[in-house]
Amino acid sequence: MSLSLAEENYLKAIYHLSEDGTKDVLTNALADSLSTKAASVTDMIKKLSVKNLISYKKYYGVNVTAKGKRQALQVIRKHRLWETFLVQKLDFAWDEVHEIAEQLEHIESPRLIEKLDKFLGYPTVDPHGDPIPNGKGKIVIKPQIPLDQIEEGYKGAIVAVKDSDSAFLKYLEKIGAKPGKKIQVISKEAYDESMEVIVGNQKVFISKEVSKNILVTE
Amino acid sequence: MSLSLAEENYLKAIYHLSEDGTKDVLTNALADSLSTKAASVTDMIKKLSVKNLISYKKYYGVNVTAKGKRQALQVIRKHRLWETFLVQKLDFAWDEVHEIAEQLEHIESPRLIEKLDKFLGYPTVDPHGDPIPNGKGKIVIKPQIPLDQIEEGYKGAIVAVKDSDSAFLKYLEKIGAKPGKKIQVISKEAYDESMEVIVGNQKVFISKEVSKNILVTE
DNA sequence: GTATTTTTTTAGACGAGTCTAAATTTCTAG
DNA sequence: CTAGAAATTTAGACTCGTCTAAAAAAATAC
């Protein structure tokens, strides 16, 4: 019983907008997120509801069921594995891969995903640092703290970045800051909370604007 | 002006059934090949015709136009590059990749295909030995002769296989015969045209049934 | 060269997914 | 607590790709 492309996209959007199933999602929010109209959302919501993938109470928003969550996580797993492939193997920049992965995530072949996962060395995070659900749909999240809450003398590594704005990603690229890289905090300015850090082996100054969007290990 | 999934599939089928644009394709042949009904074929044919991708005269079959051929070759290029990726990088067997490539060939991103091509080292043939059209849609074909027309003493290499039946491919796998492998003809039996050949460094007997489906260099 | 069979096309319908416009329900200001 | 605003749902229509059944054209048989 496999899902259509549209069904997968709705399910994924609901899962994300509900913040991993914790909040209910409103019709208009979903319409905005999917660049469609509220009427279309209502139609699709009814279908997913009949299939027991989401729970829906008229006028009060929707959320994924356990079954829907499983399916959403499979799509997310595929999306993030493909993004990892595009960046690591095909040499795409982080900010170019989203649209392509958006297409690739709908390819149906469990064997393909298994083999891709193996080929990539069973990665646990994608190029943005977002966790990749495993084959059973489990997400293993390492604790991650925004860099702006870190004190002088810290040593650790970047695990993820929050903002996915292209200009921001390009800036990070330039200073060599990407998930997996080691990072040290040399000094922190009390006045504006700007920091001097070592990332890779380069010393750089970063503003609070930037540091709050970089997530690091404990 | 990009094509829908169905349009791409029709175009590709027409191109293949017309033997690269040399013969006209009949409605029923197309319906069989696409596992659909003649009425559906007629409908789609009209659409492709309006878009100038095929030329169509009622009751007399269709063929690709120059524009349609270009598009068909792009899809075929993508299909064969993905098959190559699946076999060479993800370690699939030849006979498992067709259906997956059938999905992957519709992913739209010229940059993706360029980068995939580079990643694979600009291959000229896919795992079945079929030529991969280049970025401009040109096919570079090496001369290829069915092995059953070859005489004793020949030394050359396998360039392709004709039959794509799974059992046949598995048999070839077993005797180590795949495109790129060197092959020598030790002896040929006049009575049934069976042959003794060395492929790789293994000596094997093959029937005419098999040899006529193996294509080799001049 | 007419009759029968085969192939192709047309006519009309359907499901998926979307839309606009109108109706309904819920929210919110005063 | 009620009127107006905002959000959501319903009604009806459209496109895409498909189908079945019937009509039309072409091929074939005798």
Side-chain angles (χ1 to χ4, degrees):
Chain A
M1 195 231 46
S2 71
L3 305 181
S4 74
L5 197 144
E7 288 172 331
E8 286 194 349
N9 283 336
Y10 271 88
L11 214 46
K12 194 177 55 143
I14 294 168
Y15 180 79
H16 279 138
L17 288 175
S18 71
E19 288 168 32
D20 305 0
T22 56
K23 295 181 177 175
D24 284 354
V25 180
L26 301 179
T27 302
N28 271 351
L30 211 39
D32 282 359
S33 156
L34 292 163
S35 303
T36 183
K37 295 295 149 69
S40 310
V41 171
T42 302
D43 287 347
M44 181 56 92
I45 271 174
K46 285 183 194 159
K47 280 194 223 166
L48 293 175
S49 193
V50 167
K51 292 192 177 185
N52 245 297
L53 294 162
I54 59 176
S55 60
Y56 166 51
K57 223 185 93 190
K58 260 193 189 179
Y59 295 101
Y60 285 94
V62 294
N63 215 328
V64 290
T65 61
K67 184 178 167 194
K69 184 172 175 176
R70 258 200 310 280
Q71 298 266 10
L73 282 168
Q74 281 310 314
V75 179
I76 291 165
R77 167 171 162 79
K78 290 195 273 181
H79 182 100
R80 292 183 179 165
L81 282 174
W82 280 117
E83 282 203 343
T84 304
F85 167 72
L86 294 172
V87 169
Q88 279 185 13
K89 302 293 180 180
L90 296 198
D91 204 34
F92 274 95
W94 331 2
D95 54 314
E96 303 176 305
V97 296
H98 189 75
E99 275 89 61
I100 304 175
E102 207 72 12
Q103 297 180 61
L104 287 164
E105 73 189 9
H106 302 293
I107 302 292
E108 189 179 315
S109 167
R111 297 243 302 130
L112 172 61
I113 295 307
E114 272 172 43
K115 283 185 176 269
L116 182 64
D117 196 15
K118 182 179 181 183
F119 181 60
L120 297 172
Y122 304 106
T124 58
V125 291
D126 75 9
H128 304 278
D130 293 319
I132 300 175
N134 67 23
K136 294 192 179 66
K138 259 253 161 11
I139 291 180
V140 182
I141 344 126
K142 297 176 192 155
Q144 40 191 41
I145 306 163
L147 182 58
D148 66 324
Q149 286 168 32
I150 297 288
E151 296 311 318
E152 281 181 25
Y154 166 89
K155 289 182 183 182
I158 298 176
V159 290
V161 295
K162 259 185 179 165
D163 197 334
S164 60
D165 173 67
S166 176
F168 179 60
L169 296 176
K170 285 209 171 76
Y171 167 73
L172 293 179
E173 190 79 43
K174 203 173 73 188
I175 64 172
K178 55 174 116 181
K181 286 280 172 182
K182 284 185 182 152
I183 190 165
Q184 291 179 40
V185 179
I186 305 296
S187 66
K188 188 171 175 182
E189 178 56 60
Y191 172 60
D192 64 355
E193 293 185 71
S194 67
M195 282 176 166
E196 190 179 2
V197 303
I198 293 177
V199 55
N201 42 17
Q202 206 181 342
K203 190 186 283 186
V204 287
F205 280 95
I206 57 178
S207 66
K208 178 167 183 173
E209 198 55 32
V210 168
S211 65
K212 74 179 183 203
N213 284 313
I214 296 178
L215 301 172
V216 299
T217 56
E218 245 169 16
Chain B
M1 199 229 45
S2 72
L3 305 181
S4 74
L5 198 142
E7 287 172 332
E8 286 194 349
N9 283 336
Y10 271 88
L11 214 46
K12 194 176 54 142
I14 294 169
Y15 179 79
H16 279 138
L17 289 174
S18 72
E19 288 168 32
D20 304 359
T22 56
K23 297 179 175 176
D24 285 352
V25 181
L26 301 178
T27 302
N28 270 352
L30 211 39
D32 283 359
S33 157
L34 292 164
S35 303
T36 183
K37 297 293 149 70
S40 310
V41 171
T42 303
D43 287 347
M44 181 56 92
I45 271 175
K46 285 184 194 160
K47 279 193 225 169
L48 293 176
S49 193
V50 167
K51 292 192 178 185
N52 247 295
L53 294 163
I54 60 175
S55 62
Y56 166 52
K57 222 185 92 188
K58 263 192 188 180
Y59 293 101
Y60 283 94
V62 294
N63 214 328
V64 290
T65 61
K67 185 178 166 193
K69 185 172 175 176
R70 258 201 311 281
Q71 298 266 10
L73 283 168
Q74 281 310 314
V75 179
I76 292 165
R77 168 171 163 77
K78 289 195 274 180
H79 183 100
R80 293 183 179 164
L81 282 173
W82 280 116
E83 282 202 343
T84 305
F85 167 72
L86 294 171
V87 170
Q88 281 185 11
K89 302 294 181 178
L90 296 198
D91 204 35
F92 274 95
W94 336 359
D95 54 313
E96 304 175 305
V97 296
H98 188 75
E99 274 90 61
I100 303 175
E102 208 71 11
Q103 296 180 60
L104 286 164
E105 73 190 8
H106 302 293
I107 301 291
E108 188 180 315
S109 167
R111 297 243 301 133
L112 172 61
I113 295 308
E114 274 173 42
K115 282 183 177 270
L116 182 64
D117 195 14
K118 181 178 181 183
F119 181 59
L120 297 171
Y122 304 106
T124 58
V125 293
D126 75 9
H128 304 276
D130 294 319
I132 300 175
N134 67 23
K136 293 191 179 66
K138 260 248 157 20
I139 291 180
V140 182
I141 344 126
K142 298 176 191 156
Q144 39 189 43
I145 306 162
L147 182 58
D148 65 326
Q149 286 169 32
I150 297 287
E151 296 310 319
E152 282 181 22
Y154 166 89
K155 289 183 183 183
I158 299 176
V159 290
V161 294
K162 257 184 178 165
D163 196 336
S164 60
D165 173 67
S166 175
F168 179 61
L169 296 177
K170 284 210 172 74
Y171 168 71
L172 293 179
E173 190 79 41
K174 202 173 74 188
I175 64 172
K178 56 173 116 182
K181 287 276 171 186
K182 285 184 182 151
I183 189 164
Q184 291 179 41
V185 178
I186 305 296
S187 65
K188 189 172 174 180
E189 180 54 61
Y191 172 61
D192 64 356
E193 295 185 73
S194 66
M195 284 177 165
E196 190 179 3
V197 302
I198 294 179
V199 55
N201 41 19
Q202 207 180 340
K203 191 186 285 187
V204 286
F205 282 96
I206 56 178
S207 66
K208 178 166 182 173
E209 198 56 31
V210 167
S211 66
K212 73 178 183 205
N213 285 313
I214 295 178
L215 302 171
V216 300
T217 55
E218 245 169 13

